[in-house]
Amino acid sequence: MRYKYILFDLDGTLTDSGPGIINSVIYALERFNIKVADRNTLRPFIGPPLTDSFQRFMGSSREEAEKAVAYYREYYTDKGMFENTVYDGVPRLLETLLKQDMHLILTTSKPEVYAKQIMEYFDLARYFELIAGSCLDGTRVKKAEVIRYALENRAITDLSKTIIVGDREHDVMGAKATGISSLGVLYGYGDREELEHAGADYIAETVADIGKILLKQE
């Protein structure tokens, strides 16, 4: 197989985390007396670093956005992270890739401590040799930073055999910044235009398509 090291995003790639994330954002915005009429306007919060998303949405300072993240985590740690479901076919896909001696690594901009809890809760952690995420102090947030951390942690030097699977442009841009390949998925929270514009090397419409693309590479 061409690819040996498969990096996976979490939100919108392995799990449909939208309900919990959006509920947490609504909770945080209400603390600022901001009411949201249409939940769909909050979909862009799913995937990118939260501080950046709050700053853009609220038109606020970095300090105010960080305060919003703190409010967000009040709800998220109690309820939000578990208002989440694993996409159909994901466990089967992961098992198939492991049988082909591929190394699976999670790379998410979500705080690593939450990512580990979610992966354990949904029984996905057992497929992965590393769960890499951001730090609660606001460092290692950008996708490229998380990818670099994962590559260094696993001593991966052959970037030609490494690919990330994700649903947003940030996954693709992180791949380009670190010199690895990217596979965008359409069942998550990005769309074809976003992924193609970012320059994804491959695009999968379904979970099953991910396996077809990765396993046919020579």
Side-chain angles (χ1 to χ4, degrees):
M1 298 297 170
R2 175 178 177 185
Y3 296 109
K4 181 177 181 181
Y5 306 101
I6 317 299
L7 282 52
F8 278 94
D9 175 47
L10 178 54
D11 298 333
T13 303
L14 297 179
T15 69
D16 182 3
S17 55
I21 291 174
I22 289 175
N23 288 341
S24 301
V25 172
I26 290 172
Y27 173 88
L29 293 174
E30 286 177 345
R31 298 296 295 270
F32 289 90
N33 293 316
I34 298 174
K35 303 296 182 182
V36 179
D38 183 0
R39 289 172 60 92
N40 287 327
T41 62
L42 302 179
R43 285 172 63 90
F45 276 86
I46 304 167
L50 281 171
T51 303
D52 295 345
S53 296
F54 274 115
Q55 197 169 3
R56 282 194 298 270
F57 187 87
M58 298 168 63
S60 65
S61 66
R62 189 80 179 175
E63 183 179 13
E64 286 291 285
E66 290 172 352
K67 188 181 297 184
V69 171
Y71 290 141
Y72 170 99
R73 288 175 179 165
E74 289 178 3
Y75 183 96
Y76 190 77
T77 56
D78 184 39
K79 298 179 181 178
M81 75 170 78
F82 304 118
E83 294 173 335
N84 196 355
T85 54
V86 178
Y87 285 113
D88 288 342
V90 163
R92 187 181 309 113
L93 168 68
L94 301 178
E95 290 171 2
T96 298
L97 297 180
L98 286 180
K99 287 178 181 177
Q100 296 297 320
D101 295 324
M102 293 180 173
H103 298 264
L104 308 186
I105 298 167
L106 187 81
T107 49
T108 175
S109 292
K110 183 186 297 298
E112 190 171 293
V113 62
Y114 300 152
K116 288 180 176 178
Q117 290 181 63
I118 291 166
M119 295 290 280
E120 289 288 350
Y121 182 83
F122 290 106
D123 197 30
L124 296 177
R126 60 194 176 98
Y127 299 107
F128 291 79
E129 58 187 57
L130 176 68
I131 295 174
S134 63
C135 303
L136 286 173
D137 63 4
T139 58
R140 205 169 71 214
V141 171
K142 303 296 185 184
K143 185 53 68 85
E145 296 171 334
V146 179
I147 292 173
R148 288 193 186 98
Y149 166 74
L151 296 176
E152 292 171 5
N153 182 282
R154 304 310 301 160
I156 299 170
T157 56
D158 191 348
L159 302 184
S160 69
K161 292 187 178 298
T162 308
I163 188 169
I164 184 170
V165 181
D167 68 314
R168 300 299 308 274
E169 63 182 355
H170 306 84
D171 301 300
V172 178
M173 296 186 318
K176 288 187 175 300
T178 53
I180 66 174
S181 299
S182 59
L183 193 167
V185 303
L186 297 181
Y187 57 81
Y189 290 90
D191 57 29
R192 184 178 293 276
E193 182 180 3
E194 174 182 332
L195 294 169
E196 288 183 344
H197 184 263
D201 295 296
Y202 311 95
I203 292 181
E205 293 190 1
T206 67
V207 172
D209 287 340
I210 296 172
K212 293 175 184 176
I213 290 170
L214 293 178
L215 295 175
K216 77 176 182 181
Q217 300 303 315
E218 299 272 330

